Amino acid sequence: MARPPLQGKAFPPKRLEVDLSAMLSVEQMKQLQVLMVAIMDDIQAQIRDNFDKMTIAPAKPTEGIASPRIASPKPVLTIPKSHDEATASSKKSEIELVMASLTELKRDALGHFGKWRGVVFKRLQEIVIKNGGTPGNALRQAPRRVDLAASGSSTRPAAVPLLNADASNTEHIQQYPPMYTALRGLPKEKRALILHTMLLMLLGLDQYPTYSRIALIKLATAMEVPTYVLLRDEHRVSLALANIIKGISAEEVAQKRAEEGRPKRWRINGNHNLSALGFSDNLAEPLIAAGIGTVFGGLGVSTSVTATLLGGIGAAGSTVAVGTLFGLYGARQGGKTMDAYAKDIQDFALIPVHSSPQSELLDPKDMPAEDRRMRVIIGISGWTTEENDFQYPWKAFGKLNEVYSLRWELEAQSKFGAALQTVMKSTAWNTAKKDTARRNVFTSLQTAHWPEALIKASKVMDNPWTVAMVRAEKTGLVLAEILTNKVQGERAVSLVGYGLGARVIYACLTSMSEKRAFGIVENVVLFGAPCPSEIRVWAAMKSVVTGRLVNVYSKNDYILGFLYRTCAWNFGIAGLQPIQGVPRVENVDLSDDISNHLHYQYHIGHVLQRLRWEDSDLDEINKGLPKRALLMHQERTSAYGRGNGINPELRGRNGAIHKEPKISQNQKNRFSTKQATGGEEQKNNIAAKKSNNKAKQTRNMGNHQGHAHAEQENVKTRHKPNRMDNQQFPGSHRHEAF
């Protein structure tokens, strides 16, 4: 009996061809291959430019903290071989020293992408066109009949309404300028089918990394296909694949994996031949029921071709491949659960935002099949002042993504949030705000001169802040370990966080860059991040972020600068200034909207709209508008009313509103006795003061005026702005309209 050929040896098995004759002609297939190669070259160029096109741009004193100059490292047991070598090393510019420090990271990032590129290119070569193909529109396939009950689905998934679709499509065109291709002249049905086919082909690698997603977006913009078509396609395919593993536990997947004896996934540098691995061309029933392989109600390829495109992930009985894709069985052999990863942290859990019921996710298998998506978003809060603060801000994300809120060290977050809220509502902060109008936060950091009232209040904030910062660092390392070991499966992940939650993401990304964990993180948005803005740090973070890296900051967040004063602020503070010098890093300035660090969570939906996020829930965003408008109105009214010199015109107009609470009840009772006994004398004194103020005749009268003025200042100082300062008066809501 002949032995089967061994994989990876001298007799490789024959590749299984993918026949797309029913949808493409020979010329169209050549154009598609050329376009895909151009897209992969462009992604590779962007990765290279992230390192090669860095610039050193020192920040202005009023705009941020300029990082210290990068000096040439002192040689350790290194002797120049020649005089020219010694001269060249001593004359390196600052940017050359930065690039030299990131040389290994650049090489590894390009090497990792090169492996994925090689596999995709080999997969494209396996597509064949027979008998000239189909130059016109694709053929309509026969109606597919399948037992829907047996497939785990009662009906085809309904199309999810897309919110912010046009805006996200415009943003993608700006982010990824369309490449020229003759394919854009094809009928819209055929262009949509090409995009759908490429999605299935890339999923056939048993993974959906960030490279695949960016390549599909570039393909859509090049063929002038709206990106919401891709979003709906991802949603449809994810629901169909999830039905394959519906009701199957991780233990069953592990048992089948052991029985099949197949590797844990198709390695990007390994053999991915279908026939050698024993896969059939029978498409799984849930995929047939969902119409995978067709668009517009039937235009597409046959089920056998669809099964060949998807490979092991779409074949009948492909529970192992699908389970690995969705994280049902971790990529690490004998995978760990969330509980095992979080042994160094007291409280750590991922809470599904859109899942019902919303429960703690301690293992990926806990997610219902109908809630699984092709991409994952993790929202990370920085503090809690209410019960569900760590969860409700992330409802702004739509339901086309698998959205989680990370609950971490809830006790430390609560203590820090309570301390911050106490200080922000105290008279110490109200007094300190007067000094902030004369001196910005960058001047205070550089001169170490802070308002005396704020220094006295630091004992309330500093200890909770320090504890929470340490816990945030540990949480970031744990999150990096989780993502690196693919607990989320073989899917792209986006991270969004504010405050100390942004610090968690910073620690996570820097750890992933050290681990060389590329192709996992797609998009990142940091709000008010207490982390360095130094160019090398953000270049390392960008190396593991394939998509958008956004820094949201406010130059008026004085409290963040005060809290960060004990850290390495000389390397800059990302939450206070823009990131400069790193290509493709976006900055969003909220200085006009935020001067209170606690208000970042109310601006998340607003910023997502400004960023034209591809899947945001406008209904949830609009629910938060009244509260956001109220906070902004109270903050501006409070600032103008206390006379900090920001806007004299508004201060004068609002002066009548705050005039009444200036004298407390005790002071009124104290003066009431004097008014009862010496009313006439008081009137005479007032008349005398007025005449003396105008004439200024004698020194004694001048001293009397000084004492009177000092008494009035003491009355203002003793006044504590209580609920009357935040009270809403009739007509004060006219500034809240957006």
Side-chain angles (χ1 to χ4, degrees), residues 715-727:
V715 170
K716 292 181 180 179
T717 304
R718 287 192 297 268
H719 165 58
K720 295 183 178 181
N722 51 19
R723 63 181 184 274
M724 294 297 294
D725 294 313
N726 296 325
Q727 182 176 351

Side-chain angles (χ1 to χ4, degrees), residues 61 65 438-451 455 558 565 569:
I65 301 295
R438 299 190 298 268
R439 184 186 303 107
N440 62 33
V441 63
F442 306 112
T443 303
S444 297
L445 283 168
Q446 293 169 351
T447 61
H449 182 77
W450 300 95
I455 293 178
Y558 198 83
R565 73 193 187 281
W569 59 265

Side-chain angles (χ1 to χ4, degrees), residues 387-513:
E387 183 178 358
N388 293 323
D389 270 0
F390 70 93
Q391 190 171 6
Y392 84 85
W394 314 118
K395 293 182 179 180
F397 293 104
K399 296 184 179 180
L400 292 178
N401 294 292
E402 203 170 305
V403 186
Y404 299 96
S405 61
L406 179 62
R407 193 188 69 190
W408 62 279
E409 290 290 350
L410 202 56
E411 183 179 357
Q413 287 192 74
S414 300
K415 290 182 178 179
F416 172 64
L420 200 58
Q421 196 173 48
T422 300
V423 172
M424 300 300 287
K425 291 183 177 180
S426 66
T427 55
W429 172 243
N430 295 329
T431 304
K433 287 174 71 174
K434 298 178 181 179
D435 291 339
T436 62
R438 299 190 298 268
R439 184 186 303 107
N440 62 33
V441 63
F442 306 112
T443 303
S444 297
L445 283 168
Q446 293 169 351
T447 61
H449 182 77
W450 300 95
E452 183 179 357
L454 199 56
I455 293 178
K456 292 180 180 179
S458 63
K459 60 183 179 182
V460 179
M461 298 183 294
D462 282 352
N463 187 55
W465 159 261
T466 304
V467 172
M469 278 281 284
V470 174
R471 302 290 173 83
E473 289 280 346
K474 291 184 177 180
T475 303
L477 298 179
V478 171
L479 183 60
E481 187 75 13
I482 286 174
L483 298 180
T484 303
N485 290 308
K486 305 295 182 67
V487 172
Q488 80 284 357
E490 300 289 342
R491 297 176 293 173
V493 180
S494 295
L495 304 174
V496 183
Y498 63 85
L500 289 174
R503 181 76 180 191
V504 172
I505 298 176
Y506 155 76
C508 172
L509 295 180
T510 52
S511 177
M512 292 180 70
S513 67

